[in-house]
Every structure is written in C-alpha cells, then in structure tokens.
Amino acid sequence: MLSNYAELFLVCAIILMPIFYETSSRFRYYFKIFVYYAVVILNSFFFIPIFLFRPCDVRNLTLASKFCRLASPIISLKWEVRGAEHMGADRAMVMVANHQSSLDILGMFDFWHLMDKCTVIAKRELFFAWPFGLAAWLSGLIFIDRRHAQRAQTAMNESTKMLIEKRTKLWVFPEGTRRITNEIHPFKKGAFHVAVRAQLPILPVVYSSYHTFLDTKNKVMNPGHVIVTALPPIETKGLTIDDIPELIERTRNAMIETFKATTKEVENRFNLSGHGMTPAKGTTTVISRIAAALPGGVSKQPTTATTTVVDPLPIRPVVELIEPEARKIGSLLGGGDASPIKEPTAYRRKDVQRD
C-alpha cells in the first residue's frame, strides 16, 4: 500500500513540477537555489575523501570547481570573464571583489582554473556548514571571526607568508556582507592591510549587477548573464599604512566605474531597458498564451497593467494565479525611473540571443 502511495506521489510530482516551474517565479527561484546548493553539497561529500590525501591544499579548489561549475548551465547562468590574463598571473596578490550573493562563489567556480592557486577569506560560521565547511577547510580556505576584528586581522596577516612562498592569490570580499543594492558599498580595511604589509598588488574583480536577473525580495531568478572583469593590478610597493585610505578609495572608484559600465552593457545587449525582468517589446509569455486559450479568454484593461477576466467567473482564480499583477522595480543604476514587470518567464534563454 505504501509503495502505491509513493509511486502516486512521484507521478504527481513529475507531472506538476513543470507546471509549477512555468507558472510560479517563486517556485523557479527556490528550485534553482536548491539545485545550486545540492550540486555543491554532493561534490563536497564526493571530494572530502580525496582531499584527505592533500589536506589544506588550495589546489583542491581547482579540482572541485571543475564539477561545481556544472550548476551554472543547469540554472541558466552564464559568466563572461574579462581580464583573464590578470587572473592567471603566476604571482601572489590580493584579489578584491564586490559581493552581491552566494552566487558569487558559483561564478568563481567557473573561472577558478584561471586563478589556479587561490584561497578565500570566509566567515567562521561557514566552517560549521558541513559537509561544505569541512571540504572548504580541506581546500585551504581561511576562516575568520568577523565579530572580533583583531582576531580576523591576525588570521589574515598570518596567511601572508604562505601567499608569498607558494605564489598564491588571496580572494577577499572587502564589503563584508553580501547585498544586492546596485552599488558597491564601502570597503573594510583588512585586505588592504595585508596587501600593503606584504607589498602585494591589489587585483580588483568586478561582477556586473545581478539585478539584471535576480530579485531576492520577490523571489525571482531568471536566466542571467554576468560579466566578470579583472582590472589591471594596483601595485602597493612603497606604500605604507598611512596610504591605505587613498588606496581603498582608488580601488573602489575603479570598481564602481566598471560595475556601472558592464551592467549597462548587459542591459543593452539583452534589451532589458534598465530593468532586469522587463520583457522585450512584442514578446508574449507562455503563461499569456495559456490564459488566452482558456474558455472565455482574457482581456486587459487599457489603463492598468492588471489582468482581468471576462465571464465566465470561474476562470478568474486560474488567471490570477498564472498572470499575477504587475510589480515595479526601480532603475538598475539608480534614479526614480520605474517600470511595471510581468511574469518573469518572458525573459528566458529562448527570448534573447546570446553572443
């Protein structure tokens, strides 16, 4: 009896999953996040025994990234890397990148082979997220306690000798906390202290805005294209601790300029009109075609973006479920501009032509 119920549940799940995926942006969001984390966790389980043969070796990350990067095409994300020659330089350096989401790590998996020997500064809490935390520690990640600034700084300083001796790159998110706010927030000083004390160059890395495909507040994740730009290294030879504020400002200003330029490029390339989930003109969604085929049809009010249903009345709950009321998202690069956006299935890989 139980096996029959299990088979029935499995059949229903297989049938309903594509329907939910097509009709619910929230379902798609959680499904893609689940796939991303599942790929990372499964790879962690698989690689932990292998990493034990060379524990705390940063080369383990290069091996793991070859498999973890498979999550990107599954959830329809494409990473375009620029400045690969700077990432691939065989020298120790401090890499600083803007931090928008946990998806930043997925992007790193896509180009970790370019960086080769690279480790990451991570918050101490991640170590306890097993099996990922254990696999990360065996891969040479440096965990710091952000609640105690002095301990964190000490841990970062102690890593300096290893960086120089083994020509290893140190990846840091100087903003500290990940935030999708269409801006690069002020930097903490830790990474720059390490670079100046060891006289290592700073390599700025900039991810274009995730607002072109991701809305965490409303749980929307569309197919996305991210430009990752490695800027020319900023040398620190001859600089002292007193020069750190100016170094931070120079680095951040260069990253902000690149952030705005690459984000605008993605908008223009895919005709997003400054709004990550705005459909291109003239396109129709799968949901709109389904609703139009329903008995009685649907019609839209000329003065609003809200979908209304012509009799018969029983159609209304179905259409309201699959064609939600329009929402508004502000301009991608600031300002008061706002546009209504429809069901996000309009922006799918088949609706835009990628290079």
Side-chain angles (χ1 to χ4, degrees):
M1 181 66 71
L2 289 177
S3 62
N4 291 337
Y5 280 119
E7 292 175 2
L8 179 62
F9 175 80
L10 181 60
V11 170
C12 290
I14 293 174
I15 295 174
L16 293 176
M17 186 174 293
I19 298 175
F20 287 143
Y21 190 89
E22 285 293 332
T23 59
S24 172
S25 61
R26 186 176 293 268
F27 179 86
R28 281 194 303 278
Y29 174 86
Y30 285 114
F31 177 80
K32 290 182 177 183
I33 293 296
F34 171 79
V35 169
Y36 168 32
Y37 288 157
V39 169
V40 173
I41 290 173
L42 288 175
N43 276 285
S44 298
F45 273 119
F46 177 77
F47 281 111
I48 284 175
I50 299 175
F51 292 168
L52 289 174
F53 287 97
R54 54 177 188 185
C56 301
D57 192 322
V58 296
R59 291 175 298 174
N60 290 336
L61 287 167
T62 305
L63 174 62
S65 68
K66 293 179 180 179
F67 295 87
C68 291
R69 63 186 297 185
L70 297 176
S72 289
I74 296 175
I75 64 176
S76 302
L77 286 185
K78 182 178 180 181
W79 309 90
E80 178 183 341
V81 180
R82 297 177 180 175
E85 68 277 9
H86 303 310
M87 289 186 179
D90 185 21
R91 61 186 299 194
M93 61 179 69
V94 178
M95 305 177 72
V96 294
N98 56 316
H99 198 16
Q100 301 178 74
S101 162
S102 61
L103 293 174
D104 298 338
I105 308 301
L106 183 58
M108 293 176 68
F109 289 145
D110 204 71
F111 52 80
W112 214 302
H113 64 286
L114 298 174
M115 301 184 291
D116 192 19
K117 293 179 292 184
C118 178
T119 188
V120 181
I121 293 291
K123 59 183 180 182
R124 182 171 173 265
E125 290 79 3
L126 283 178
F127 173 74
F128 300 101
W130 285 29
F132 171 77
L134 178 58
W137 180 76
L138 290 171
S139 299
L141 258 69
I142 301 170
F143 295 97
I144 61 172
D145 188 350
R146 296 189 304 180
R147 295 172 299 180
H148 299 87
Q150 188 58 46
R151 294 181 189 175
Q153 188 63 56
T154 300
M156 294 177 69
N157 291 336
E158 289 175 352
S159 67
T160 303
K161 184 177 180 181
M162 179 272 294
L163 298 178
I164 297 174
E165 289 180 351
K166 299 184 178 181
R167 295 177 176 268
T168 301
K169 302 171 183 68
L170 177 66
W171 183 290
V172 184
F173 293 109
E175 292 170 285
T177 303
R178 59 179 184 263
R179 288 171 284 195
I180 306 181
T181 57
N182 278 334
E183 60 181 318
I184 295 181
H185 293 267
F187 290 168
K188 300 181 184 299
K189 297 181 179 180
F192 298 89
H193 273 280
V194 171
V196 170
R197 288 176 178 173
Q199 298 290 280
L200 297 176
I202 296 284
L203 183 69
V205 179
V206 184
Y207 291 81
S208 61
S209 177
Y210 291 174
H211 264 253
T212 54
F213 66 92
L214 182 64
D215 181 353
T216 55
K217 180 178 180 181
N218 293 291
K219 308 306 178 188
V220 175
M221 185 190 297
N222 291 326
H225 188 103
V226 182
I227 298 176
V228 184
T229 308
L231 301 178
I234 300 175
E235 295 295 338
T236 62
K237 290 183 178 179
L239 299 184
T240 65
I241 300 299
D242 295 333
D243 298 313
I244 287 179
E246 189 275 333
L247 177 62
I248 292 176
E249 182 179 4
R250 178 153 52 108
T251 304
R252 183 168 175 266
N253 287 341
M255 293 176 67
I256 289 174
E257 182 179 352
T258 302
F259 176 79
K260 291 182 177 181
T262 53
T263 298
K264 195 65 178 178
E265 181 181 342
V266 172
E267 291 179 357
N268 293 336
R269 187 188 302 182
F270 299 111
N271 194 27
L272 298 179
S273 303
H275 304 278
M277 275 69 74
T278 303
K281 292 182 179 180
T283 60
T284 58
T285 71
V286 173
I287 304 309
S288 297
R289 293 195 290 271
I290 293 175
L294 291 171
V298 298
S299 63
K300 296 184 184 252
Q301 297 285 356
T303 58
T304 68
T306 305
T307 300
T308 58
V309 181
V310 180
D311 289 335
L313 290 176
I315 305 291
R316 180 182 298 274
V318 178
V319 178
E320 288 179 349
L321 171 65
I322 62 179
E323 193 89 40
E325 184 178 356
R327 296 183 284 108
K328 291 181 180 292
I329 285 185
S331 174
L332 189 59
L333 294 179
D337 180 29
S339 296
I341 63 173
K342 295 283 188 169
E343 166 61 32
T345 48
Y347 178 54
R348 306 181 81 81
R349 195 173 290 272
K350 63 184 178 184
D351 293 321
V352 296
Q353 179 157 1
R354 302 186 182 278
D355 293 345

